[in-house]
Amino acid sequence: MPASALQAASRAQQIARHVLGLQRTQEDQQQPDAHPAQRAQASDTNKPTIPIQKVPRSPAHSQRQEVVVVGGTVMDVQASLPSVPAGQVLNFSTNPGTVSFTVGGVGRNIAEAVGRLLHSGQPATASKAGHMRSPYQRQLRAKNSKKASVWLISAVGQDAAGETCIQYFRQEPRRIGVATEAIKVCQGARTASVMGLFLPVRGSAELVTGVADTEIVEVEVDPKWIYKFKDRIKQANIVVLDANVAPGALSFTAKLA
């Protein structure tokens, strides 16, 4: 499993744990008969492990937990030459192998993983080997999915790769739980893509070289687009920033939050 997928899965668990802790804190506050010491103990147990900005919220939003992710949506292309040793690759020609396409991107991966955890309690796509299984999944599954939502602020091109990335979320919206309204579709632009070439090295597939075409993430996920969703950002319990976005957009989002 790629290290980036494991990192996204691990970060998603932390974020889901935050949201679950916030839900518990609100439930404790709604129980006036509970002893103050018991409420304090429950609050200490669920202290966040990463910084979050608390924003005053209206009663209409007091029961709804929201996570906003600002980051890249990428089409990952993996080319493998499992039967060709590294020293026998044909240069300036084609080599027999396999090519696979997978929706990815740091921000997109985290959004999907958090959405799956909050809405269905199912492991994320990268968890088939059991890396995402934890006691929190059973607790999250028991929660009402209407109390949580995940928004991804991103950009894709008006091409086949961009359509695939968006439709991936729309095919199973209740299971994946990620809103696509904040994914900008840019006419005449290419969806971000990363191609990696893997060769067998010492018994395992190793990345030999790759090409990253991610300009759209740095250019189109800009303050002007992010500002359209300022209310979502201000109301969110947690805002996740993908460092592949331009520094100016990151600092702008932080100020909004």
Side-chain angles (χ1 to χ4, degrees), residues 235-256:
Q235 293 168 1
N237 300 95
I238 298 174
V239 178
V240 182
L241 302 179
D242 175 357
N244 291 301
V245 175
L250 294 177
S251 60
F252 179 79
T253 306
K255 292 176 182 178
L256 285 180

Side-chain angles (χ1 to χ4, degrees), residues 53-75:
Q53 174 111 16
K54 293 186 177 180
V55 180
R57 314 178 87 197
S58 63
H61 291 90
S62 61
Q63 295 299 312
R64 186 173 181 82
Q65 312 300 336
E66 291 194 349
V67 177
V68 173
V69 181
V70 180
T73 297
V74 178
M75 177 63 71

Side-chain angles (χ1 to χ4, degrees), residues 39-212:
R39 292 197 298 270
Q41 183 178 4
S43 178
D44 290 341
T45 303
N46 295 287
K47 284 183 178 179
T49 56
I50 57 175
I52 60 173
Q53 174 111 16
K54 293 186 177 180
V55 180
R57 314 178 87 197
S58 63
H61 291 90
S62 61
Q63 295 299 312
R64 186 173 181 82
Q65 312 300 336
E66 291 194 349
V67 177
V68 173
V69 181
V70 180
T73 297
V74 178
M75 177 63 71
D76 290 328
V77 183
Q78 179 174 321
S80 300
L81 305 178
S83 59
V84 181
Q88 299 180 20
V89 175
L90 295 178
N91 296 322
F92 312 107
S93 182
T94 57
N95 293 266
T98 61
V99 178
S100 62
F101 298 83
T102 308
V103 291
V106 174
R108 195 221 68 88
N109 287 349
I110 291 176
E112 179 188 352
V114 173
R116 286 184 181 274
L117 282 167
L118 292 178
H119 284 73
S120 68
Q122 297 294 330
T125 304
S127 65
K128 293 181 179 179
H131 296 282
M132 290 284 290
R133 298 186 186 280
S134 72
Y136 297 100
Q137 289 181 347
R138 291 188 295 272
Q139 295 171 317
L140 289 166
R141 192 170 191 174
K143 295 291 180 180
N144 186 345
S145 63
K146 293 182 180 180
K147 291 185 178 181
S149 66
V150 181
W151 279 65
L152 174 61
I153 301 178
S154 189
V156 298
Q158 194 176 35
D159 52 20
E163 181 67 15
T164 299
C165 292
I166 292 177
Q167 288 302 320
Y168 180 86
F169 284 135
R170 291 179 178 173
Q171 286 175 357
E172 298 182 274
R174 295 185 63 183
R175 182 178 178 184
I176 300 177
V178 176
T180 60
E181 289 86 342
I183 301 178
K184 183 200 300 188
V185 179
C186 306
Q187 186 174 4
R190 300 182 305 275
T191 296
S193 59
V194 176
M195 188 280 292
L197 175 61
F198 293 80
L199 294 176
V201 178
R202 294 185 295 274
S204 62
E206 297 289 343
L207 177 65
V208 176
T209 188
V211 178

Side-chain angles (χ1 to χ4, degrees), residues 207-236:
L207 177 65
V208 176
T209 188
V211 178
D213 178 9
T214 59
E215 181 181 13
I216 189 173
V217 177
E218 302 167 7
V219 174
E220 296 296 342
V221 186
D222 58 359
K224 183 178 179 180
W225 177 249
I226 294 170
Y227 185 74
K228 293 178 180 290
F229 309 97
K230 62 182 184 302
D231 291 338
R232 291 282 177 184
I233 294 173
K234 291 179 179 179
Q235 293 168 1

